[in-house]
Amino acid sequence: ATVQSCIKSASGRPERERCIGIIADPCAEQPDAESTAGQVACAAREFAVWDDILNETYRRLRAALDARQKVKLRAMQRAWIESRERSCAFYWDFFRGTMASPMNAFCRNRETARRALFLLGFLDNAEGK
């Protein structure tokens, strides 16, 4: 509800981006989240929300498109998923330590949120908002 409320109160993508981290960041600052596992859990909580928003937005956008656009949307999403996975996995390759785990988790959250907002912009346009 926190993320949805933030999105609804914001106008446009730049302002909506302030909603990224609205759950994970304060959670990660709590004393019980100081461990690597605690940090990852904080990012995972928010990731689950953004992933749901992304999937619902994709479904609704897809329903608003013609057949040709649906094919292109699917190809675009598949390429984005691969890009997100490779980009966030680089934390493992670069840092190779304990901190790579929360960095990867926060990356996945951030990139999924950004993608949800990106598609939401198209959906808003398609629905005339």
Side-chain angles (χ1 to χ4, degrees):
T2 302
V3 173
Q4 289 286 7
S5 177
C6 183
I7 291 170
K8 288 179 182 164
S9 70
S11 60
R13 185 171 174 213
E15 192 174 320
R16 287 177 173 170
E17 288 210 9
R18 71 177 169 79
C19 302
I20 300 171
I22 199 166
I23 294 170
D25 294 347
C27 173
E29 294 173 6
Q30 298 302 310
D32 60 338
E34 289 178 352
S35 69
T36 299
Q39 296 283 307
V40 170
C42 288
R45 280 182 56 208
E46 186 170 325
F47 171 81
V49 174
W50 284 111
D51 195 48
D52 285 346
I53 293 169
L54 175 63
N55 289 324
E56 176 63 16
T57 302
Y58 177 86
R59 185 191 63 75
R60 289 175 54 203
L61 178 59
R62 189 177 186 286
L65 300 176
D66 64 33
R68 184 182 58 80
Q69 291 170 324
K70 286 177 184 178
V71 169
K72 290 186 178 204
L73 175 67
R74 187 171 123 201
M76 179 179 71
Q77 276 305 99
R78 286 182 173 177
W80 170 78
I81 290 168
E82 183 176 344
S83 175
R84 178 193 64 185
E85 295 308 308
R86 287 178 186 257
S87 295
C88 295
F90 191 70
Y91 285 105
W92 293 104
D93 297 325
F94 190 81
F95 291 105
R96 299 181 189 180
T98 310
M99 283 309 297
S101 184
M103 293 173 99
N104 176 277
F106 275 84
C107 177
R108 287 176 48 81
N109 177 61
R110 181 180 58 253
E111 295 308 311
T112 301
R114 286 181 178 154
R115 189 57 172 201
L117 295 175
F118 175 74
L119 292 184
L120 193 56
F122 285 105
L123 180 62
D124 286 350
N125 191 275
E127 293 180 342
K129 292 182 181 177

